[in-house]
């Protein structure tokens, strides 16, 4: 059993100024998202359309997968289906090793985090270079991402300056973002030129075209894919869309919702390998079809990974992305994996406030899915925070008008006689808040006395 | 209208003045109001933690108590309890009367705005208040338009009601973010919850208001706890207190 989420946030929350800085950085993204969404009067209609389109995809996956695969093959690509993480990693390592490849430049892909691809390839002697700036920073720090879109959002520019000084030889004490970015670009350029294979993720896989879309802001995916003679694209099977119009709809929403840009800077549609080159696509299941069989869980696979739910989540913003057990933090991470009994406090890292539902471009019922995970864990008696012990008792007390009345009267007396200093030392609620001042009598008592029955 | 009061357990035992204000207000507005003894919890404490089975007897006891007196509408001064009572009576009980009961439970704001619109003349009140638009009311009951949504004409039912009070100045914090209460979240995740409550109080204070006014007593309890701990010069009150005062 891993530590509770409440315990894991303690290091992060101890530095309140840093919490405020982190929260403000993410709220800036939320504010930019609001501006962009509100610039399109048809925004809510787009959300509804996108949601229905993705529901269509989830309910027609077998046909769409076959259609996408045969169209890609007709376009000269090679398509591989991987049942799970192990199979995915073996397929990728196999493609690279068969062709004697030694160095892979990769753009950002949450899937490769999910299946732990990089350590696997390194075991096979293949060097992997992350080319997304945020991901590269984390690779140099040997640290996992703390966000799915802005993976190094937890780091300050001074910390990145120190890291770059140590790893790529920038001036000591330099933290100017432009200077650091130029230095990163120069060092990255050498990696691009010496790589013999490229990997990208997939934002949308267009079934009726046999093509896929990759969106980045840095152009790093394109730089990677256009230099070496081998491009491997990896995708979870939920990335499918029926046609180019559907992809266009999601492209109108993705960057607006993620970072408040009308569009990502680079949007490339890959439809065939370049002459003399090879283009492989690996499509991964890794538990998705099993989880989709549960209707109350299936809709998480509508997600297009914009990260807006994470930006708006008040718990994520104040607790940081490294406080979660699952590699995807925030509401979408809890909705995907919040039923894991090994990390059973995760589903409670949420106030059920529902802001995430409202920003989601494809209407994933995040709040309801997280609540569902709580129900599942309750049924398995895998509740965190001593709930297995006190919830049955609470149920009994609250289920009896007499019992409830007596318990509440006792609580009022308790709060009245307990000294303030002791109340403050109980912890939990009273760590930062006083208890209410208890009234002399309940409303029910007052009503009986003053209004009769 | 014949109204049965649903007084959630927290209000009954810790904020009886909210129940009295609600009762008096509805009577002044000309409604026949009754209250039946034996009301328990809406089950939210348990269902929020996924413990559906543990909530059943509480929800049934509440349903039984509310059915004792025939009425046109059940009204409660607590948004999240209304959400839970409706939902739990529907999904945790199989008694048909409970299901139809669920359909006529209203939170006080929505009752005064949508069901029996407030058209009484109100006395002036010189005060500046900051609205606490708590999440269950905002996003589940639709008492306002949440800031995330793109809507041509946003609504705010609490503001609409209170703006009928002459001379009252109404402000709102810069964000409609959760106050961090979240039921047992406030105990389980004490650090994050405490930080959220502190941030929310600071946001209310920055509006220059003298009082935080809201429709959800549990969130108000959390904010009141911060105000008291830090000695912040803000009143924290349920909106029924304001309306009762000027009706």
């Amino acid at each position: 059993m891993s530590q509770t989420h409440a315990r894991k946030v303690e290091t992060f929350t101890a530095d309140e100024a840093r919490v405020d800085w982190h929260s403000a950085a993410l709220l800036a993204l939320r504010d930019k998202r609001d501006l962009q969404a509100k610039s399109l009067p048809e925004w809510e209609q787009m959300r509804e359309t996108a949601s229905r389109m993705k529901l269509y995809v989830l309910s027609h996956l077998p046909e769409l997968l076959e259609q996408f695969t045969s169209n890609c093959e007709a376009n000269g690509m090679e398509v591989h289906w991987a049942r799970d993480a192990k199979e995915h990693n073996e397929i990728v390592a196999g493609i690279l090793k068969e062709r004697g490849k030694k160095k892979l430049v990769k753009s950002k892909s949450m899937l490769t985090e999910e299946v732990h691809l990089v350590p696997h390839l390194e075991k096979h002697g293949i060097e992997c270079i992350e080319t997304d700036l945020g991901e590269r920073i984390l690779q140099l720090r040997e640290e996992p991402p703390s966000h799915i879109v802005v993976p190094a959002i937890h780091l300050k520019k001074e910390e990145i300056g120190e890291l770059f000084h140590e790893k790529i030889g920038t001036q000591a004490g330099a933290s100017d973002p432009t200077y650091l970015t130029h230095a990163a670009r120069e060092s990255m350029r050498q990696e691009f030129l010496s790589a013999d294979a490229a990997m990208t993720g997939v934002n949308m896989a267009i079934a009726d075209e046999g093509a896929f879309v990759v969106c980045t802001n840095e152009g790093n995916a394109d730089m990677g894919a256009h230099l070496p003679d081998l491009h491997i694209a990896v995708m979870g099977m939920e990335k499918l869309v029926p046609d180019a119009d559907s992809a266009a709809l999601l492209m109108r929403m993705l960057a607006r919702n993620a970072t408040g840009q009308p569009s990502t800077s680079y949007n490339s549609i890959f439809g065939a390998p370049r002459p003399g080159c090879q283009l492989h696509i690996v499509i991964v299941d890794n538990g998705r079809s099993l989880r989709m069989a549960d209707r109350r869980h299936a809709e998480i696979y509508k997600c297009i990974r914009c990260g807006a739910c994470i930006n708006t989540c008040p718990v994520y913003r104040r607790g940081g992305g490294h406080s979660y057990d699952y590699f995807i933090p925030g509401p979408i991470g809890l909705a995907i994996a919040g039923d894991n009994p090994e990390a059973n406090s995760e589903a409670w890292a949420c106030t059920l406030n529902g802001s995430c539902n409202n920003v989601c471009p494809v209407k994933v019922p995040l709040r309801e899915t997280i609540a569902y995970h709580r129900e599942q864990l309750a049924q398995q008696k895998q509740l965190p925070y001593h709930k297995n012990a006190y919830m049955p008792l609470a149920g009994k007390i609250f289920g009896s008008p007499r019992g409830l009345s007596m318990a509440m009267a006792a609580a009022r007396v308790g709060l009245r006689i307990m000294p303030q200093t002791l109340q403050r030392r109980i912890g939990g609620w009273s760590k930062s808040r006083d208890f209410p001042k208890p009234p002399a009598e309940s409303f029910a008592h007052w009503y009986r006395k003053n209004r009769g029955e | 209208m014949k109204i049965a009061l649903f007084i959630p357990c927290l209000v009954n035992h810790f904020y009886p003045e909210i129940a009295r204000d609600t009762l008096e207000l509805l009577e002044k507005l000309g409604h026949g109001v009754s209250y039946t003894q034996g009301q328990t919890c809406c089950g939210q404490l348990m269902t929020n933690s996924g413990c559906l089975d543990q909530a059943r007897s509480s929800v049934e006891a509440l349903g039984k108590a509310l059915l004792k007196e025939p009425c046109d509408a059940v009204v409660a001064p607590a948004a999240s309890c209304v959400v839970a009572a409706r939902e739990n009576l529907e999904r945790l009980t199989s008694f048909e009367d409970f299901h139809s009961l669920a359909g006529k439970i209203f939170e006080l704001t929505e009752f005064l705005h949508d069901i029996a619109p407030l058209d009484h003349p109100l006395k002036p009140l010189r005060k500046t208040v900051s609205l606490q638009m708590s999440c269950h009311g905002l996003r589940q009951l639709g008492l306002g338009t949440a800031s995330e949504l793109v809507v041509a004409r946003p609504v705010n039912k609490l503001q609409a009601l209170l703006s009928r009070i002459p001379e009252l100045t109404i402000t709102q914090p810069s964000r409609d973010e959760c106050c961090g209460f979240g039921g047992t979240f406030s105990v389980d995740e004490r650090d994050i919850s405490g930080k959220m409550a502190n941030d929310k109080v600071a946001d209310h204070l920055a509006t220059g208001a003298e009082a935080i006014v809201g429709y959800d007593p549990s969130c108000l309890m959390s904010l009141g706890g911060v105000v008291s701990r830090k000695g912040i010069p803000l009143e924290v009150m349920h909106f029924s207190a304001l309306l009762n005062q000027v009706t």
Side-chain angles (χ1 to χ4, degrees):
Chain A
M1 190 78 71
S2 70
Q3 271 188 338
T4 62
H5 180 266
R7 175 72 68 182
K8 282 194 215 155
V9 298
E10 281 175 359
T11 340
F12 194 79
T13 54
D15 184 351
E16 191 173 356
R18 195 174 181 109
V19 170
D20 289 337
W21 165 80
H22 186 257
S23 184
L26 289 145
L27 276 177
L29 290 179
R30 160 75 206 274
D31 288 345
K32 284 164 72 185
R33 173 261 170 210
D34 286 2
L35 274 177
Q36 281 299 331
K38 285 169 191 180
S39 74
L40 299 178
E42 70 273 32
W43 182 258
E44 297 300 332
Q45 202 186 332
M46 288 165 67
R47 288 178 70 218
E48 183 59 30
T49 309
S51 167
R52 289 180 189 209
M53 183 270 286
K54 288 300 281 188
L55 282 176
Y56 173 87
V57 169
L58 297 185
S59 52
H60 293 77
L61 259 185
E63 300 96 290
L64 290 170
L65 272 169
E66 283 174 8
Q67 189 191 14
F68 176 68
T69 301
S70 60
N71 285 336
C72 285
E73 284 166 354
N75 291 342
M77 307 182 219
E78 270 187 56
V79 182
H80 312 257
W81 289 14
R83 205 179 309 265
D84 53 22
K86 185 166 170 283
E87 218 170 85
H88 168 271
N89 292 347
E90 282 166 2
I91 290 169
V92 173
I95 298 170
L96 292 166
K97 283 174 73 179
E98 269 169 38
R99 290 159 185 79
K101 303 295 186 188
K102 291 274 177 231
K103 183 168 181 175
L104 178 78
V105 279
K106 65 185 285 292
S107 64
K108 209 163 93 55
S109 148
M110 288 315 285
L111 180 72
T112 58
E113 297 285 334
E114 174 187 331
V115 299
H116 302 290
L117 174 71
V118 172
H120 181 84
L121 293 183
E122 285 171 347
K123 256 195 340 224
H124 285 273
I126 297 162
E127 189 187 0
C128 299
I129 304 290
E130 297 287 353
T131 61
D132 172 87
L133 181 55
E135 290 286 350
R136 181 63 180 155
I137 290 167
L138 296 175
Q139 187 174 34
L140 294 173
R141 279 175 65 95
E142 298 178 33
E143 194 176 56
S146 72
H147 189 290
I148 62 173
V149 173
V150 281
I153 191 76
H154 58 289
L155 295 173
K156 297 195 173 188
K157 59 182 194 285
E158 292 77 15
E159 291 162 322
I160 294 163
E162 267 172 56
L163 175 77
F164 278 10
H165 172 61
E166 190 194 318
K167 303 280 183 180
I168 61 172
T170 53
Q171 283 168 19
S175 66
D176 175 59
T178 309
Y179 168 71
L180 294 177
T181 311
H182 280 164
R185 180 191 167 101
E186 203 145 310
S187 116
M188 204 88 79
R189 189 58 54 101
Q190 301 312 313
E191 310 288 2
F192 279 122
L193 290 171
S194 57
D196 51 19
M199 171 170 282
T200 66
V202 168
N203 287 95
M204 299 112 200
I206 306 171
D208 74 346
E209 305 261 356
F212 61 92
V213 184
V214 179
C215 309
T216 71
N217 272 324
E218 298 166 23
N220 56 315
D222 306 86
M223 179 73 87
H226 288 120
L227 281 169
D229 62 3
L230 174 64
H231 173 187
I232 306 172
V234 296
M235 58 178 266
M237 60 186 191
E238 77 282 11
K239 293 286 178 185
L240 279 166
V241 295
D243 51 26
D245 282 350
S246 305
L249 172 66
L250 296 184
M251 287 168 79
R252 281 188 83 200
M253 305 183 88
L254 178 62
R256 282 192 166 88
N257 222 44
T259 51
Q261 299 163 270
S263 166
T264 34
S265 312
Y266 298 87
N267 298 287
S268 297
I269 302 177
F270 293 90
R274 282 175 290 126
C277 302
Q278 287 194 327
L279 181 43
H280 292 253
I281 303 177
V282 189
I283 308 175
V284 189
D285 183 330
N286 202 30
R288 286 165 174 74
S289 32
L290 262 180
R291 314 212 88 194
M292 272 181 217
D294 182 348
R295 285 193 71 117
R296 291 184 73 185
H297 198 195
E299 288 191 54
I300 57 169
Y301 292 110
K302 296 194 294 187
C303 175
I304 61 168
R305 300 289 189 267
C306 70
C309 61
I310 305 177
N311 302 341
T312 201
C313 177
V315 181
Y316 169 86
R317 275 193 275 105
R318 290 171 181 81
H322 289 150
S323 62
Y324 299 84
D325 192 76
Y326 192 55
F327 76 104
I328 297 179
I332 184 62
L334 302 186
I336 296 173
D339 54 352
N340 174 13
E342 291 302 311
N344 64 350
S345 69
E346 299 260 291
W348 277 265
C350 166
T351 65
L352 301 180
N353 65 75
S355 176
C356 48
N357 282 31
N358 280 354
V359 295
C360 180
V362 285
K363 297 195 174 182
V364 175
L366 294 154
R367 177 184 181 277
E368 291 69 25
T369 311
I370 295 167
Y372 173 50
H373 292 330
R374 295 182 182 184
E375 286 173 35
Q376 290 173 302
L377 290 167
Q379 268 169 12
Q380 299 160 21
K381 301 206 171 10
Q382 294 282 2
L383 295 168
Y385 304 120
H386 313 294
K387 291 177 199 286
N388 285 320
Y390 78 78
M391 278 299 170
L393 186 66
K396 281 207 184 77
I397 293 172
F398 282 78
S400 139
R402 228 177 102 76
L404 178 59
S405 203
M406 279 163 58
M408 289 292 201
R412 286 201 302 271
V413 172
L415 283 179
R416 212 169 300 126
I417 60 176
M418 199 193 303
Q420 274 281 327
T421 45
L422 181 60
Q423 285 189 26
R424 290 182 182 195
R425 285 173 59 188
I426 294 176
W429 167 275
S430 67
K431 194 170 171 184
S432 42
R433 281 167 290 221
D434 286 343
F435 288 108
K437 295 199 173 46
E441 60 179 353
S442 69
F443 173 74
H445 195 256
W446 175 88
Y447 192 87
R448 196 180 291 125
K449 258 185 7 201
N450 293 279
R451 299 293 184 98
E453 285 293 327
Chain B
M1 231 184 232
K2 192 161 166 29
I3 295 169
L5 282 183
F6 158 34
I7 301 303
C9 51
L10 179 74
V11 175
N12 183 18
H13 293 282
F14 281 90
Y15 297 98
E17 70 278 9
I18 297 178
R20 287 201 297 274
D21 282 324
T22 304
L23 168 68
E24 288 171 16
L25 170 66
L26 290 171
E27 285 177 339
K28 285 182 198 169
L29 295 174
H31 299 291
V33 189
S34 65
Y35 171 73
T36 49
Q37 298 284 340
Q39 297 184 18
T40 47
C41 167
C42 58
Q44 189 176 196
L45 175 77
M46 285 71 78
T47 53
N48 250 3
S49 273
C51 300
L52 269 46
D53 292 336
Q54 280 78 9
R56 193 165 287 113
S57 56
S58 176
V59 176
E60 283 173 353
L62 174 66
K64 256 188 242 165
L66 290 176
L67 283 177
K68 279 186 205 165
E69 192 81 39
C71 67
D72 304 316
V74 176
V75 176
S80 67
C81 305
V82 166
V83 173
R86 282 182 189 167
E87 185 177 43
N88 291 337
L89 282 165
E90 287 277 358
R91 66 176 169 170
L92 298 182
T93 70
S94 46
F95 190 29
E96 196 128 323
D97 287 359
F98 284 167
H99 296 176
S100 51
L101 175 69
K104 57 178 185 181
I105 301 178
F106 300 100
E107 186 278 328
L108 183 63
T109 318
E110 67 182 347
F111 181 77
L112 295 177
H113 189 274
D114 303 335
I115 307 301
L118 180 70
D119 53 7
H120 229 67
L122 303 174
K123 288 177 257 179
L125 181 67
R126 188 157 296 176
K127 202 180 182 83
T128 304
V129 298
S130 179
L131 302 185
Q132 168 57 34
M133 298 301 290
S134 293
C135 305
H136 279 77
L138 184 66
R139 299 196 182 85
Q140 311 298 315
L141 292 180
L143 298 183
T145 305
S147 59
E148 305 91 17
L149 297 175
V150 181
V151 175
R153 282 189 195 81
V155 294
N156 186 323
K157 296 180 183 178
L158 181 61
Q159 184 173 25
L161 287 179
L162 296 185
S163 64
R164 298 182 39 84
I165 303 175
E167 293 177 36
L168 186 75
T169 307
I170 301 171
T171 65
Q172 283 195 63
S174 63
R175 299 192 172 275
D176 56 8
E177 176 164 276
C178 175
C179 71
F181 174 67
T184 58
F185 180 87
S186 61
V187 179
D188 301 335
E189 292 267 7
R190 64 262 164 194
D191 288 344
I192 304 276
S193 173
K195 175 69 176 144
M196 286 167 71
N198 269 285
D199 289 352
K200 182 55 89 179
V201 168
D203 205 354
H204 279 295
L205 189 64
T207 64
E210 300 151 73
I212 300 175
V213 173
Y215 45 68
D216 220 325
S218 48
C219 305
L220 296 175
M221 172 172 74
S222 175
L223 299 178
V226 169
V227 164
S228 155
R229 173 65 55 90
K230 291 198 152 170
I232 291 168
L234 270 175
E235 263 182 279
V236 181
M237 59 203 293
H238 190 267
F239 80 99
S240 59
L242 272 189
L243 280 182
N244 189 30
Q245 203 183 326
V246 297
T247 305

